[in-house]
């Protein structure tokens, strides 16, 4: 086998994530087009965009379970094929159904990228996993910056149709396909270190319960009757969460006899992803009356996130991952509350900057926590966390869309601040758990 080209594979992975990120910026820009030009309500747009998130989750879960069987290379080329089909279908979308189907393929492509590239980056850089995962994930906010600028330039300045914006995706798609072509891709870190598949499953804590819970979440996101039934009474979600927690306890402690650290991180990931992605996907509707282009706000937010992630190494080293996450939760809460009362360009920009610093480290550091503190969870652990984050967002999008239409954007932002408030408490607990674990290992 040829020698692994570490630099080329890392650049190819970043470009694949760039395609994923630009699709997010494009959706944030064109959601209004499907409301005004094609007659969809905000809630319908939210439901049509949801497959981009739960499709992501499906691909990540499937990739996590099977990546070591079918090999990383297969997942990479599956991502390429799904991206290609999804982009073509999005260009042809004109109604709810066609938009929905296009986002299914785009979601599957995006999820396959993360399912393949997160463990690939961790394998390529075994001594700097959290640092390099943050640098890899620079290209998510970085791609949104690029997509946001292109959206402003192509649609707002040149006045080209939205299809011209979507067509830009073919450029990074072709580049990452070229860079991956013919390259040897190493086995995942779990395989290389000799950890068995059974042991990987065991270290997830409660893999069966978590997987079934995510399937149920996907059903809630896509079947309106189930969603309406659950949201009709505030007691129902609490009861469902309680039942899931009991089954996780039984499977993790009674059957697998292992720490429930991973299920706890899984719970936190649901909230961190919803805080970040739910807000940025609805940025156009949330801030359209604040006297400044929402796409400028999106570029500012994601630009700050990109810079922060690139220089994350020293911060993670000084504070450790749980400390970074706790600070992020505090700043995210402050940012959402400030945005909920902001009026005018200056106040909105300042509030958005606080929010950006808050959500900056959430995603890569959460995956880094799994890789650093639960290493035997392997590629499956990273895939479950990424998938869970996106399926949670798919549930939040239609709820936020309905709230924007009924309660207004400022109330919606204020209500969203509840999520990082819960995370503040959760990350304090996570710090205590990890400190005790480290002390026990010394």
């Amino acid at each position: 086998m040829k020698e692994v080209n570490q630099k080329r594979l890392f650049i190819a992975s970043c470009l694949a994530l760039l395609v994923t990120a630009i699709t997010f910026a494009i959706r944030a820009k064109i959601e209004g087009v499907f409301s005004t030009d094609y007659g969809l309500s905000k809630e319908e747009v939210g439901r049509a965009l949801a497959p981009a998130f739960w499709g992501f989750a499906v691909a990540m879960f499937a990739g996590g379970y099977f990546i070591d069987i079918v090999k990383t290379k297969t997942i990479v080329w599956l991502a390429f094929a799904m991206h290609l089909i999804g982009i073509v279908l999005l260009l042809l979308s004109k109604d709810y159904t066609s938009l929905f189907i296009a986002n299914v393929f785009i979601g599957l492509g995006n999820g396959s990228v993360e399912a393949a590239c997160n463990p690939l980056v961790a394998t390529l850089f075994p001594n700097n996993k959290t640092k390099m995962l943050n640098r890899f994930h620079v290209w998510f906010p970085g791609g949104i910056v690029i997509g946001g600028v292109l959206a402003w330039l192509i649609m707002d300045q040149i006045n080209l149709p939205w299809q011209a914006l979507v067509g830009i995706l073919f450029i990074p798609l072709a580049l990452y396909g070229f860079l991956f072509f013919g390259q040897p891709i190493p086995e995942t870190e779990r395989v290389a270190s000799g950890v068995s598949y059974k042991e990987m499953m065991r270290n997830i804590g409660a893999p069966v319960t978590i997987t079934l819970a995510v399937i149920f979440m996907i059903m809630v996101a896509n079947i309106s009757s189930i969603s309406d039934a659950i949201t009709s009474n505030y007691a129902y979600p609490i009861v469902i969460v309680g039942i899931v927690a009991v089954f996780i306890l039984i499977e993790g402690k009674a059957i697998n006899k292992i720490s429930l650290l991973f299920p706890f991180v899984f719970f936190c990931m649901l909230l961190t992803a919803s805080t970040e992605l739910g807000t940025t996907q609805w940025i156009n509707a949330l801030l359209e009356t604040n006297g400044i282009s929402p796409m400028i706000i999106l570029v500012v937010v994601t630009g700050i996130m990109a810079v922060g992630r690139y220089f994350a190494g020293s911060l993670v080293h000084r504070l450790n991952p749980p400390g970074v996450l706790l600070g992020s939760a505090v700043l995210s809460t402050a940012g959402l509350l400030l945005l909920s009362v902001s009026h005018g360009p200056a106040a909105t920009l300042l509030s958005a900057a606080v929010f950006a610093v808050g959500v900056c480290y959430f995603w890569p550091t959460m995956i880094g926590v799994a890789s650093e503190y639960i290493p035997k969870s392997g590629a499956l652990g990273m895939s479950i966390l990424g998938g869970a984050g996106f399926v949670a967002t798919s549930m939040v999008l239609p709820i936020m869309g309905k709230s924007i239409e009924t309660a207004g954007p400022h109330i919606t932002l204020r209500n969203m601040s509840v999520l990082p408030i819960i995370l503040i408490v959760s990350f304090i607990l996570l710090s205590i758990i990890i400190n005790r674990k480290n002390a026990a290992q010394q």
Side-chain angles (χ1 to χ4, degrees):
M1 180 185 248
K2 292 193 300 182
E3 184 179 350
V4 171
N5 190 329
Q6 185 186 55
K7 184 177 180 180
R8 179 166 174 160
L9 290 179
F10 183 70
I11 293 172
S13 299
C14 292
L15 284 168
L17 189 61
L18 179 64
V19 174
T20 295
I22 294 176
T23 66
F24 278 75
I26 288 173
R27 281 194 299 272
K29 179 63 176 177
I30 69 174
E31 54 91 4
V33 173
F34 281 87
S35 295
T36 56
D37 294 358
Y38 299 107
L40 301 183
S41 69
K42 295 289 187 191
E43 185 175 1
E44 285 176 323
V45 171
R47 291 194 181 279
L49 298 183
F53 296 91
W54 62 254
F56 196 117
V58 168
M60 288 205 72
F61 268 69
Y65 277 111
F66 301 115
I67 188 171
D68 294 321
I69 299 172
V70 302
K71 306 301 180 187
T72 305
K73 190 172 187 176
T74 302
I75 305 298
V76 165
W77 288 112
L78 180 65
F80 181 87
M82 294 297 101
H83 270 155
L84 179 60
I85 295 169
I87 294 166
V88 171
L89 290 178
L90 182 58
L91 285 169
L92 301 175
S93 297
K94 292 184 178 179
D95 54 26
Y96 173 85
T97 302
S98 57
L99 181 61
F100 182 94
I101 294 173
N103 277 291
V104 169
F105 282 96
I106 289 174
L108 291 172
N110 292 347
S112 297
V113 166
E114 289 252 359
C117 295
N118 278 325
L120 176 58
V121 170
T123 301
L124 291 172
F125 305 98
N127 298 320
N128 292 293
K129 288 186 283 189
T130 300
K131 174 183 175 181
M132 295 310 294
L133 281 167
N134 266 283
R135 288 200 174 178
F136 167 56
H137 282 276
V138 162
W139 292 97
F140 189 79
I144 293 177
V145 170
I146 293 170
V149 171
L150 288 172
W152 172 79
L153 181 65
I154 291 172
M155 293 182 66
D156 296 340
Q157 300 302 307
I158 307 178
N159 293 318
L160 293 176
W162 64 270
Q163 289 90 345
L165 176 62
V166 174
I168 293 293
L169 288 166
F170 288 116
I171 298 173
L173 177 69
L175 287 173
Y176 91 72
F178 170 76
L179 289 174
F180 272 121
F181 186 75
Q183 295 299 302
I185 296 177
E187 297 276 16
T188 63
E189 187 180 27
R190 192 271 298 176
V191 173
S193 61
V195 177
S196 69
Y197 189 89
K198 182 178 180 181
E199 185 65 11
M200 179 181 70
M201 291 284 286
R202 181 172 174 268
N203 274 268
I204 299 301
V208 175
T209 303
I210 287 174
T211 301
L212 291 176
V214 170
I215 291 172
F216 178 73
M217 291 166 65
I218 292 172
M219 292 172 62
V220 171
N222 289 277
I223 302 174
S224 57
S225 58
I226 297 177
S227 178
D228 293 341
I230 291 175
T231 57
S232 64
N233 189 319
Y234 288 114
Y236 292 159
I238 296 173
V239 171
I240 292 169
V241 170
I243 292 171
V244 172
V246 169
F247 276 98
I248 285 176
L249 188 63
I250 292 171
E251 185 181 359
K253 286 296 186 181
I255 299 175
N256 290 326
K257 295 181 173 59
I258 198 167
S259 163
L260 297 180
L261 178 57
F262 187 89
F264 183 75
V265 174
F266 166 82
F267 165 76
C268 293
M269 189 68 174
L270 300 179
L271 303 185
T272 58
S274 297
T275 301
E276 175 188 344
L277 299 179
T279 305
T280 54
Q281 281 298 279
W282 277 119
I283 196 80
N284 205 49
L286 287 168
L287 301 178
E288 62 184 350
T289 61
N290 280 39
I292 186 171
S293 170
M295 296 312 295
I296 292 177
I297 297 296
L298 183 63
V299 168
V300 168
V301 168
T302 51
I304 291 172
M305 290 172 65
V307 173
R309 287 181 181 179
Y310 185 81
F311 294 103
S314 58
L315 181 65
V316 172
H317 178 72
R318 285 199 301 269
L319 295 181
N320 70 50
V324 172
L325 290 170
L326 177 58
S328 296
V330 172
L331 289 172
S332 298
T333 303
L336 285 171
L337 290 173
L338 287 170
L339 282 170
S340 72
V341 297
S342 295
H343 296 279
T348 302
L349 272 173
L350 178 62
S351 302
V354 174
F355 174 75
V357 175
V359 298
C360 174
Y361 302 107
F362 270 160
W363 193 280
T365 306
M366 289 296 295
I367 293 174
V369 164
S371 183
E372 297 260 357
Y373 300 113
I374 324 167
K376 291 183 180 180
S377 63
L380 179 59
M382 288 186 276
S383 292
I384 283 177
L385 291 183
F390 277 96
V391 78
T393 307
S394 74
M395 291 178 62
V396 166
L397 283 178
I399 294 172
M400 289 185 69
K402 188 173 183 178
S403 176
I404 291 168
E405 288 186 325
T406 56
H410 290 288
I411 297 298
T412 302
L413 285 164
R414 188 183 67 189
N415 291 341
M416 284 294 291
S417 69
V418 173
L419 302 185
I421 288 172
I422 296 172
L423 285 169
I424 292 172
V425 178
S426 300
F427 288 141
I428 290 173
L429 291 174
L430 180 64
S431 297
I432 294 170
I433 292 168
I434 288 178
N435 286 338
R436 287 180 177 176
K437 183 179 179 181
N438 290 339
Q441 290 175 346
Q442 291 176 353

